Amino acid sequence: MRQRPDRGEVATYIPELARVDPQAFGLVVIDADGSVAAGGDSDVAFSIQSISKVFTLTLALGMVGDRLWRRVGREPSGSPFNSIVQLERERGIPRNPFINAGAIAVTDVILSGHQPREALGEILRFMQFVADDPSIAIDERVAASEQRTGFRNSALANYMKSFGVIENPVDFTLGVYFHHCAIAMTCRQLAKAGRFLAHSGRNPATGHFVVQPERARRINAVMLTCGHYDGSGEFAYRVGLPGKSGVGGGILAIAPGKASIAVWSPGLDEAGNSHLGRIALEALTKRMGWSIFGV
Ligand code: GLN
């Protein structure tokens, strides 16, 4: 897989991400018994970017429950991840928690009642808890790089603020958002972090219930329908699993009851999803018969 020449384009709009080696490729599968299959650069940390939104969604649902859905929808957007068009028509309520506008609104919910540093600490600790790995950290250079150039996210946040959808000062909310997107993880850490979603809310490694089974099922549903932006239909068609991509080139995919899978290849397709990552997942699910839609 890593020899394939058709790798897509590395994200350059966050300058620090443009420095990543486009040849990198890693894949980790952890099955229900905890057996780990790892290949390629599976222990190289990369910027998880929007994959962090799965975990901020989980955290925000834990804090405010279903009230979260007053601030953000759960329908696919059919628009690029950083699009602003739909916000005007729908009065500042983002379509779903995975497009940038929706994730910024979710971050704002986590921030309310806290200082930005506390909220960020909470998100990072949650990530360390679900991955059962206290060494997970934020790549400050990536965060600073996005903070300097994130004009579009700033526009989204200010626009939502005008509708009263953002409660906190926009710079605070964006600061926390840019930093959680800049969490660096390896495929191995990410696959560990996803295990609770593959096993009805419980991480089999620690025995901890991270969320109730119903919530895990629903987060998986949102990943399936919205996790790849306007490439979500194609991902469901080809891979057939709930998945969440990030512009760092990572994808977390969940085979319910069977496995948690993380793949990383930095080259992206037009929708901003890892090109080779998707191809690798398609081959894997086909081989294993893991698509939720049947073999
Ligand atoms: N931090 C990135 C942004 O806001 C996340 C986008 C992504 O991974 N799709 O643009």
Side-chain angles (χ1 to χ4, degrees):
M1 191 57 72
R2 63 181 308 164
Q3 313 303 342
R4 286 179 70 128
D6 50 332
R7 307 183 85 93
E9 298 294 326
V10 170
T12 52
Y13 77 102
I14 301 174
E16 201 61 27
L17 293 183
R19 295 153 48 110
V20 174
D21 174 13
Q23 296 302 316
F25 179 85
L27 177 70
V28 170
V29 182
I30 308 182
D31 73 8
D33 301 331
S35 304
V36 180
D41 302 311
S42 51
D43 290 309
V44 178
F46 61 91
S47 192
I48 66 167
Q49 291 295 320
S50 288
I51 305 171
S52 61
K53 298 171 184 177
V54 173
F55 302 92
T56 49
L57 170 64
T58 307
L59 195 57
L61 283 169
M63 288 170 145
V64 302
D66 283 343
R67 274 186 294 139
L68 184 71
W69 303 118
R70 293 187 204 150
R71 300 271 291 274
V72 62
R74 47 176 190 263
E75 293 294 345
S77 67
S79 312
F81 64 88
N82 55 5
S83 172
I84 199 166
V85 286
Q86 163 264 339
L87 279 181
E88 181 167 28
R89 239 178 294 119
E90 293 171 22
R91 303 198 55 76
I93 303 290
R95 268 295 168 87
N96 68 65
F98 293 153
I99 51 171
N100 287 9
I104 292 167
V106 169
T107 301
D108 188 67
V109 168
I110 296 173
L111 175 58
S112 287
H114 301 92
Q115 291 300 317
R117 198 171 289 277
E118 291 166 1
L120 190 59
E122 188 85 10
I123 294 167
L124 186 61
R125 273 192 303 279
F126 183 65
M127 193 56 110
Q128 293 168 340
F129 164 69
V130 289
D132 192 24
D133 187 337
S135 73
I136 293 166
I138 291 166
D139 184 332
E140 291 291 343
R141 299 225 310 244
V142 172
S145 179
E146 188 166 6
Q147 200 131 24
R148 273 196 303 276
T149 56
F151 305 113
R152 204 178 249 262
N153 285 323
S154 175
L156 292 170
N158 278 291
Y159 199 56
M160 287 190 287
K161 180 90 178 166
S162 76
F163 288 100
V165 173
I166 298 292
E167 283 175 356
N168 297 283
V170 164
D171 286 348
F172 284 15
T173 305
L174 284 174
V176 177
Y177 170 79
F178 291 142
H179 280 78
H180 76 62
C181 287
I183 292 174
M185 287 170 78
T186 67
C187 284
R188 195 181 300 272
Q189 290 169 328
L190 198 54
K192 281 172 75 181
R195 291 192 78 197
F196 76 96
L197 291 170
H199 304 290
S200 305
R202 179 178 168 274
N203 182 348
T206 58
H208 290 134
F209 262 99
V210 178
V211 292
Q212 291 301 311
E214 180 183 69
R215 184 158 289 163
R217 174 165 56 78
R218 289 177 159 169
I219 293 168
N220 284 334
V222 184
M223 286 173 76
L224 181 82
T225 52
C226 311
H228 282 71
Y229 317 110
D230 46 343
S232 298
E234 187 70 5
F235 190 81
Y237 180 84
R238 292 190 176 276
V239 178
L241 294 180
K244 182 74 208 82
S245 64
V247 289
I251 302 175
L252 172 66
I254 304 299
K258 300 195 170 70
S260 172
I261 308 154
V263 63
W264 173 49
S265 172
L268 308 178
D269 62 20
E270 324 75 70
N273 303 314
S274 175
H275 179 70
L276 207 51
R278 198 262 293 142
I279 292 172
L281 287 170
E282 184 176 0
L284 178 75
T285 48
K286 193 168 171 190
R287 178 89 167 264
M288 302 303 289
W290 277 349
S291 166
I292 61 169
F293 301 109
V295 286

